[in-house]
Amino acid sequence: MAPRRKKIYEGKAKILYEGPEPGTLVQYFKDDATAFNAQKKATIEGKGVLNNRLSEFFMTGLTNVGIPNHFIRRLNMREQLIRQVEIVPLEVIVRNFAAGSISKRLGIEEGTALPRPIVEYSYKNDALGDPLVPEEYIIAFGWANQQDLDDIVSLALRVNDFLSGVFFGVGIKLVDFKIEIGRIWDGDYMRLIVADEISPDSCRLWDVKTGQKLDKDVFRRDLGSLTDAYTEVARRLGVMPANATPMKPTLIN
């Protein structure tokens, strides 16, 4: 990491640095894994490399099908150049099957197919545990207006169509995922685009035939090696060579 580069923001899994040109940032993928609002932590060697490559793969795919996003290009094994955006303070969650919190809240058995994809929002605030919020709150507090929300739902469902097809093609069921949305300005005209990352950190992925989990639930629920799971996803998608060797985790107390 070049010491002269100015750090803009550090999150649980990534660091943002000042970019080489105005309106750009460098996004660095860390090896840190967290769960339960960072109550469980580990450093998993190679996780950042895998997520950088996978997010590049998905963002490039979105660009190819006309879904706007912040990705410009990958710089190296851990960094990518992205467009600087103003992040809408929401996590946008798309659910195709019941799992995780929706199963707990509503008593729906995990794996139950939902009648249609469900889009919901959580307010991005670690101190509050990213609480779910209805559209009424979002509009009342000015985080987004009704037109923004219509555009966000449209973007989220287009991303869902694309990702579902890509994953199903390699024998993986896209159970749910979350994305973040950023605002960019072209002159006075504001557009909403997909930002942050798309990786197994932000998706629930199950093997179609066996139901094996290939996402961060492996870490949350102590189901084995997280990098084995992520490497399997990367292998199936052709992002990593078939003989890639997974790295081993280091737990942090």
Side-chain angles (χ1 to χ4, degrees), residues 29 48-49 69 85 108 110 160 223 233:
F29 287 76
V49 172
N69 62 82
V85 301
I108 303 173
E110 284 209 329
N160 187 41
L223 298 176
V233 173

mmCIF file of all heavy atoms in Angstrom, residues 29 48-49 69 85 108 110 160 223 233:
data_model
loop_
_atom_site.group_PDB
_atom_site.id
_atom_site.type_symbol
_atom_site.label_atom_id
_atom_site.label_comp_id
_atom_site.label_asym_id
_atom_site.label_seq_id
_atom_site.Cartn_x
_atom_site.Cartn_y
_atom_site.Cartn_z
ATOM 1 N N PHE A 29 -9.565 -4.595 -0.392
ATOM 2 C CA PHE A 29 -10.291 -5.677 0.269
ATOM 3 C C PHE A 29 -9.415 -6.308 1.351
ATOM 4 O O PHE A 29 -8.343 -6.847 1.055
ATOM 5 C CB PHE A 29 -10.704 -6.743 -0.751
ATOM 6 C CG PHE A 29 -11.833 -6.317 -1.649
ATOM 7 C CD1 PHE A 29 -11.616 -5.430 -2.698
ATOM 8 C CD2 PHE A 29 -13.117 -6.796 -1.454
ATOM 9 C CE1 PHE A 29 -12.652 -5.036 -3.534
ATOM 10 C CE2 PHE A 29 -14.170 -6.416 -2.277
ATOM 11 C CZ PHE A 29 -13.933 -5.525 -3.318
ATOM 12 N N GLY A 48 -9.665 -11.444 1.117
ATOM 13 C CA GLY A 48 -9.738 -10.186 0.379
ATOM 14 C C GLY A 48 -9.431 -10.358 -1.096
ATOM 15 O O GLY A 48 -10.040 -9.714 -1.951
ATOM 16 N N VAL A 49 -8.482 -11.237 -1.405
ATOM 17 C CA VAL A 49 -8.125 -11.509 -2.797
ATOM 18 C C VAL A 49 -9.311 -12.132 -3.530
ATOM 19 O O VAL A 49 -9.662 -11.732 -4.640
ATOM 20 C CB VAL A 49 -6.890 -12.439 -2.861
ATOM 21 C CG1 VAL A 49 -6.625 -12.889 -4.294
ATOM 22 C CG2 VAL A 49 -5.669 -11.742 -2.280
ATOM 23 N N ASN A 69 -22.880 0.754 -12.323
ATOM 24 C CA ASN A 69 -22.219 0.496 -11.040
ATOM 25 C C ASN A 69 -20.923 1.281 -10.961
ATOM 26 O O ASN A 69 -20.495 1.922 -11.935
ATOM 27 C CB ASN A 69 -21.977 -1.007 -10.857
ATOM 28 C CG ASN A 69 -21.070 -1.586 -11.918
ATOM 29 O OD1 ASN A 69 -19.851 -1.494 -11.819
ATOM 30 N ND2 ASN A 69 -21.653 -2.161 -12.975
ATOM 31 N N VAL A 85 -18.844 7.849 -5.017
ATOM 32 C CA VAL A 85 -20.290 8.100 -4.985
ATOM 33 C C VAL A 85 -20.677 8.588 -3.595
ATOM 34 O O VAL A 85 -19.921 8.453 -2.635
ATOM 35 C CB VAL A 85 -21.095 6.813 -5.306
ATOM 36 C CG1 VAL A 85 -20.735 6.265 -6.674
ATOM 37 C CG2 VAL A 85 -20.903 5.753 -4.228
ATOM 38 N N ILE A 108 -40.705 -18.717 9.255
ATOM 39 C CA ILE A 108 -40.737 -19.436 7.979
ATOM 40 C C ILE A 108 -39.503 -20.332 7.908
ATOM 41 O O ILE A 108 -38.383 -19.875 8.153
ATOM 42 C CB ILE A 108 -40.740 -18.458 6.786
ATOM 43 C CG1 ILE A 108 -41.921 -17.481 6.878
ATOM 44 C CG2 ILE A 108 -40.778 -19.207 5.468
ATOM 45 C CD1 ILE A 108 -41.877 -16.386 5.828
ATOM 46 N N GLU A 110 -36.262 -22.138 6.873
ATOM 47 C CA GLU A 110 -35.194 -21.766 5.947
ATOM 48 C C GLU A 110 -35.271 -22.609 4.682
ATOM 49 O O GLU A 110 -35.509 -23.814 4.737
ATOM 50 C CB GLU A 110 -33.819 -21.947 6.606
ATOM 51 C CG GLU A 110 -33.487 -20.850 7.595
ATOM 52 C CD GLU A 110 -31.984 -20.597 7.711
ATOM 53 O OE1 GLU A 110 -31.194 -21.534 7.532
ATOM 54 O OE2 GLU A 110 -31.625 -19.450 8.007
ATOM 55 N N ASN A 160 -30.826 -8.878 -9.222
ATOM 56 C CA ASN A 160 -31.278 -10.207 -8.816
ATOM 57 C C ASN A 160 -31.434 -11.141 -10.029
ATOM 58 O O ASN A 160 -31.004 -12.295 -9.997
ATOM 59 C CB ASN A 160 -32.602 -10.096 -8.068
ATOM 60 C CG ASN A 160 -33.049 -11.412 -7.464
ATOM 61 O OD1 ASN A 160 -32.257 -12.165 -6.926
ATOM 62 N ND2 ASN A 160 -34.343 -11.687 -7.557
ATOM 63 N N LEU A 223 -19.416 -23.762 10.120
ATOM 64 C CA LEU A 223 -19.724 -24.916 9.270
ATOM 65 C C LEU A 223 -18.514 -25.405 8.476
ATOM 66 O O LEU A 223 -18.663 -26.219 7.565
ATOM 67 C CB LEU A 223 -20.852 -24.549 8.289
ATOM 68 C CG LEU A 223 -22.190 -24.165 8.928
ATOM 69 C CD1 LEU A 223 -23.186 -23.729 7.860
ATOM 70 C CD2 LEU A 223 -22.765 -25.334 9.730
ATOM 71 N N VAL A 233 -16.895 -21.253 -4.954
ATOM 72 C CA VAL A 233 -17.699 -20.332 -5.770
ATOM 73 C C VAL A 233 -16.854 -19.781 -6.924
ATOM 74 O O VAL A 233 -17.285 -19.772 -8.090
ATOM 75 C CB VAL A 233 -18.257 -19.178 -4.915
ATOM 76 C CG1 VAL A 233 -18.949 -18.123 -5.787
ATOM 77 C CG2 VAL A 233 -19.237 -19.707 -3.865
#
